[in-house]
Amino acid sequence: MSSLLAATNKTVSCIKTGVIAGAVSVCGLLTMVFEPLEAFFVRGLNMIYFLF
């Protein structure tokens, strides 16, 4: 019974670790994708601001 409990705890912690790692990698990917877009957007806004 205790071994079953230990296995369940281990599985839960593995799933939690996997979810956290997945979330971090997704966040990293989104940052990589959105940083150039953000820079481009800011540059565009600055150009518009300077033009008017």
Side-chain angles (χ1 to χ4, degrees):
M1 189 65 193
S2 63
S3 63
L4 183 69
L5 198 66
T8 306
N9 280 346
K10 198 167 193 171
T11 306
V12 168
S13 67
C14 276
I15 290 167
K16 277 184 187 169
T17 306
V19 167
I20 291 167
V24 167
S25 62
V26 167
C27 281
L29 199 67
L30 284 177
T31 305
M32 274 172 53
V33 169
F34 281 114
E35 243 171 29
L37 283 178
E38 191 188 15
F40 178 73
F41 188 64
V42 167
R43 213 174 296 138
L45 279 180
N46 283 343
M47 278 175 63
I48 290 165
Y49 182 71
F50 284 129
L51 284 174
F52 291 108

